[in-house]
Amino acid sequence: MHIPFCLPLIDQDVITEVNDCLTNTGWLTTGPKVRELEAEISKLTGTPVLCVNSWTSGAMLVLRWLGVGPGDEVVIPAYTYSATALCALNIGAKVVMVDVGPDFNMDAEKLRSAITPHTKAIIPVDIGGWPCDYDTLLQVLDLPEVRRIFRPNNARQEQLGRPLLLADAAHSIGATYKGRPSGTLADVTVFSLHSVKNVTTGEGGAICLTLPYPFDNAEVYQFLKAFALNGQTKSAFEKNQPGAWRYDIIDQGLKVNMPDVCAAIGLAQMRKYTSELLPGRRHIFEQYNAAFAQHSRAILPPYQDETRTSSCHLYMLRIAGASEAERDAIIQRIAEQGVGVNVHYIPMPMLTLFKRLGYCIEDYPQTYRLYANEITLPVYNGLTEDQVSRVEYVCRNSITDPPSKE
Ligand SMILES: *Cc1c(COP(=O)(O)O)cnc(C)c1O
């Protein structure tokens, strides 16, 4: 039995919805399906939601809206997918990486010491679907000394009065923190709807707006909707109504809108996400937890505690005492038995681009420790009970060596 690491959900509901787009609405780019998907995500978050064509472009759009650019700094964790850094680098800002805590997420103490008068935003990441401790991160941004050194250079930054808390919730749609859903925990949150994520539009992202007073989130939504479309006040769909041809370009925007044919895929998934798809993922997590709880070398990923529930995006198993080399050998044995596993993530300071930019993994010891013995197991809707049992069996058999002496 061959079991891939990941497969997108393309079931009859998805096919019906895409078919409706192709044959009934006959509209391919941004139009009614995108607005329906935004409304569906908004049922979960209660916020204005703007869909765009990726997490990365959504984060760039938000940073540009805030006027972040050359001379500014954005603080991110060293343990994440590189897009978290690239959204800032690609608008000319400098990326300041901090080490993470034992739960894979941004460490508030490290954040505190990374903030300078140039800091304009921080982007914590809900790794694997496990929400960051947002209240503590926000407390850091609200410290009188942080507000005092903040140097606004436009009206929006002045209105905020401190660095922006921009959540990288690429993994965490459906997760909760203190009873509140992901999408409402920061100033702005961006979900990814990429093919490997919990809900997908092929490629896509969704921006949730919960900016503090005196921002008007409905107004910011209207602005960003145009800003994501070259700054154009009307989409082609809106201009297509009789007599509605006139438009304006209100600002120098990006071209990052989501096509309707993509939104249809996510719409079908989103309608049953909390009722079916998320519980399905949760069930797989629980099966793995039960299987590995008694294993002497298994360190289980964070999943739920008194304040948080995971969206069960990645099952990030860790092997106690394993070196990077032993972990790699275990993955090789698992792969030889036809099971796809993965590593999340190769820390950015170990990748060529970031080494060239001067980042050094020795500065992020906790990040390295978490990465070195990590193996991500498959979790997706459509993975059967038998397949989950097979994954457990193959993994348990592949983790045979005693822990190496440190
Ligand atoms: C997938 C991912 C992104 C990027 O998402 P795209 O939609 O592909 O741009 C960003 N951050 C994290 C942590 C991710 O896993």
Side-chain angles (χ1 to χ4, degrees):
M1 172 162 36
H2 174 76
I3 301 172
F5 174 71
C6 181
L7 280 179
L9 179 69
I10 306 172
D11 61 1
Q12 193 51 52
D13 291 338
V14 168
I15 292 167
T16 303
E17 198 64 42
V18 173
N19 204 39
D20 183 62
C21 178
L22 295 176
T23 58
N24 294 339
T25 75
W27 191 259
L28 297 179
T29 188
T30 311
K33 295 290 182 201
V34 167
R35 303 283 95 96
E36 246 188 288
L37 176 58
E38 291 177 350
E40 203 60 46
I41 297 173
S42 187
K43 280 188 201 165
L44 181 66
T45 62
T47 67
V49 175
L50 179 74
C51 284
V52 289
N53 63 7
S54 74
W55 181 94
T56 308
S57 59
M60 281 175 66
L61 193 76
V62 171
L63 292 175
R64 282 190 44 142
W65 167 80
L66 190 63
V68 179
D72 295 329
E73 293 174 359
V74 175
V75 182
I76 66 169
Y79 201 110
T80 179
Y81 177 61
S82 306
T84 317
L86 288 163
C87 69
L89 292 175
N90 281 333
I91 57 163
K94 184 181 164 205
V95 161
V96 176
M97 290 186 199
V98 293
D99 206 2
V100 294
D103 67 350
F104 296 97
N105 287 348
M106 185 182 270
D107 182 304
E109 277 301 306
K110 301 264 168 41
L111 165 65
R112 172 67 198 93
S113 47
I115 292 176
T116 77
H118 303 289
T119 309
K120 288 290 156 55
I122 73 160
I123 314 181
V125 185
D126 301 333
I127 289 284
W130 183 244
C132 295
D133 186 357
Y134 282 101
D135 287 355
T136 305
L137 295 174
L138 201 54
Q139 270 166 23
V140 170
L141 297 183
D142 266 330
L143 287 171
E145 63 265 34
V146 170
R147 284 184 168 271
R148 199 177 330 112
I149 63 169
F150 182 69
R151 282 202 216 134
N153 51 30
N154 62 44
R156 288 178 188 135
Q157 294 180 9
E158 211 155 289
Q159 201 160 314
L160 191 59
R162 56 157 172 77
L164 180 80
L165 177 54
L166 172 58
D168 180 341
H171 301 172
S172 65
I173 188 167
T176 63
Y177 170 80
K178 300 187 179 173
R180 287 133 55 194
S182 175
T184 66
L185 306 172
D187 297 322
V188 179
T189 302
V190 187
F191 297 135
S192 173
L193 304 172
H194 180 271
S195 285
V196 302
K197 305 290 157 67
N198 284 21
V199 175
T200 184
T201 54
E203 294 280 358
I207 304 170
C208 307
L209 298 167
T210 46
L211 287 155
Y213 183 82
F215 287 99
D216 178 340
N217 288 292
E219 209 172 275
V220 176
Y221 169 86
Q222 287 304 333
F223 179 83
L224 288 179
K225 188 175 154 215
F227 205 44
L229 197 78
N230 282 337
Q232 186 170 312
T233 49
K234 284 182 192 168
S235 68
F237 184 81
E238 290 158 335
K239 281 171 60 193
N240 208 28
Q241 310 309 311
W245 58 274
R246 193 179 284 282
Y247 64 89
D248 191 14
I249 298 285
I250 52 168
D251 208 330
Q252 187 188 325
L254 299 177
K255 181 62 166 60
V256 296
N257 54 306
M258 176 185 282
D260 254 26
V261 67
C262 296
I265 301 170
L267 181 56
Q269 297 179 356
M270 201 59 216
R271 283 199 187 108
K272 57 186 177 186
Y273 182 61
T274 52
S275 60
E276 261 179 64
L277 303 184
L278 187 55
R281 303 186 79 94
R282 184 164 275 279
H283 181 61
I284 297 170
F285 254 61
E286 282 165 358
Q287 282 175 277
Y288 285 145
N289 279 348
F292 292 108
Q294 302 310 321
H295 195 290
S296 63
R297 297 190 67 192
I299 304 171
L300 309 187
Y303 158 67
Q304 61 183 20
D305 66 12
E306 314 76 59
T307 58
R308 296 179 246 197
T309 61
S310 173
S311 65
C312 300
H313 176 56
L314 298 172
Y315 195 87
M316 301 169 78
L317 183 67
R318 291 175 49 238
I319 313 301
S323 65
E324 214 183 326
E326 195 202 344
R327 185 272 313 274
D328 293 356
I330 292 170
I331 290 182
Q332 185 58 32
R333 285 197 287 276
I334 295 172
E336 279 160 11
Q337 294 167 84
V339 171
V341 294
N342 223 314
V343 173
H344 291 89
Y345 285 93
I346 303 172
M348 289 181 292
M350 297 176 75
L351 301 170
T352 302
L353 167 67
F354 299 99
K355 283 195 264 190
R356 195 195 300 149
L357 292 173
Y359 302 93
C360 191
I361 189 62
E362 283 73 26
D363 296 333
Y364 310 95
Q366 176 73 345
T367 295
Y368 181 77
R369 272 196 296 278
L370 290 169
Y371 151 76
N373 61 8
E374 197 273 348
I375 301 178
T376 313
L377 308 188
V379 177
Y380 47 92
N381 298 109
L383 193 67
T384 65
E385 297 250 342
D386 283 353
Q387 288 176 315
V388 172
S389 304
R390 172 77 186 156
V391 173
E392 290 163 11
Y393 174 82
V394 166
C395 288
R396 273 191 272 117
N397 278 316
S398 303
I399 309 167
T400 51
D401 298 336
S404 57
K405 297 192 183 66
E406 307 230 350

